Amino acid sequence: MTVLHAITSRKRNATVTRAGLLAAATERFVREGYDSVSLREIASDVGVDVSLVSRYFGGKEELFAEVLAMCPSGADMFEGDVSDFGERLATKIVIDPQEDKDLNCLLIILRSASSPKALEAIRKSGEERFFGPIEKWLGGPNANIRARLIADIVMGVTIDRVMSDDLGLGDEAREKFRDRLACILQSAIEI
């Protein structure tokens, strides 16, 4: 199939075009952040007219919000017993390899947080997809504070993991780090 044929086919298939625009936008936002990305560049990456971005998403802010909505929600953190939450989460972020999608979402947030237009979408997504659900799951007094504490700890460790592959630690040291992190996370939900 030629590139022209693929583009022509894509233009006729709204689902494929929309998915292509989301994928291109995600890649651009990961690399460049909200303010440095133009809708024309995104459309060009897909080989479609820029007017299709407006047609499918409304504008850059809505497209950005849609990209954030595709990020993993962290719902898997709430599976299992509360008593081993710290260990499950610490293992996920320290030992288990991070999924590209998780890391991409963090990079999008970090590279876009200085933009007032992007910041509102980041806050809304965080409340709807992370803070709200974890507050509800935790319940009880100060659930909002405990949720923020957990999120801040996780974000810090994840940023470190992005900057220094495997946290700059050997296998044994990483296991010890995970064990200490598990205790800290567990204590954060029990406050």
Side-chain angles (χ1 to χ4, degrees):
M1 176 185 298
T2 68
V3 173
L4 181 58
H5 179 59
I7 291 171
T8 305
S9 297
R10 192 176 320 159
K11 285 182 182 178
R12 284 186 257 175
N13 187 330
T15 303
V16 172
T17 301
R18 189 175 194 288
L21 288 168
L22 278 170
T26 300
E27 288 179 29
R28 288 272 181 178
F29 290 136
V30 166
R31 286 193 320 262
E32 303 168 40
Y34 181 86
D35 285 336
S36 298
V37 174
S38 79
L39 295 181
R40 288 196 187 287
E41 292 169 327
I42 293 168
S44 176
D45 290 347
V46 181
V48 298
D49 189 87
V50 70
S51 65
L52 289 177
V53 177
S54 296
R55 179 178 177 185
Y56 295 125
F57 302 99
K60 186 174 172 181
E61 290 176 46
E62 293 86 359
L63 175 60
F64 184 74
E66 190 77 23
V67 167
L68 291 176
M70 292 180 5
C71 290
S73 69
D76 59 331
M77 291 188 304
F78 314 126
E79 295 172 3
D81 194 76
V82 173
S83 66
D84 65 351
F85 171 80
E87 187 167 335
R88 282 194 327 270
L89 186 53
T91 298
K92 178 182 168 84
I93 62 177
V94 174
I95 303 299
D96 294 343
Q98 292 288 316
E99 293 183 30
D100 287 343
K101 199 169 187 179
D102 289 340
L103 297 179
N104 283 346
C105 290
L106 179 62
L107 290 173
I108 289 169
I109 290 167
L110 291 173
R111 291 190 173 128
S112 302
S114 63
S115 169
K117 289 183 178 181
L119 190 55
E120 184 55 35
I122 292 168
R123 284 184 183 144
K124 184 178 179 187
S125 177
E127 290 299 327
E128 290 174 357
R129 298 171 53 75
F130 184 79
F131 296 114
I134 198 167
E135 282 179 39
K136 184 176 178 182
W137 181 74
L138 288 171
N142 302 315
N144 60 338
I145 294 169
R146 293 181 287 146
R148 291 280 173 185
L149 182 57
I150 291 165
D152 291 346
I153 293 167
V154 168
M155 199 172 317
V157 173
T158 305
I159 290 169
D160 188 16
R161 181 138 189 195
V162 169
M163 293 186 322
S164 56
D165 191 34
D166 288 333
L167 301 166
L169 301 170
D171 290 344
E172 186 176 329
R174 225 173 40 254
E175 289 281 344
K176 289 179 182 177
F177 181 91
R178 190 260 334 251
D179 293 344
R180 289 183 180 207
L181 179 61
C183 291
I184 291 168
L185 289 168
Q186 194 65 37
S187 70
I189 68 167
E190 295 172 355
I191 291 176

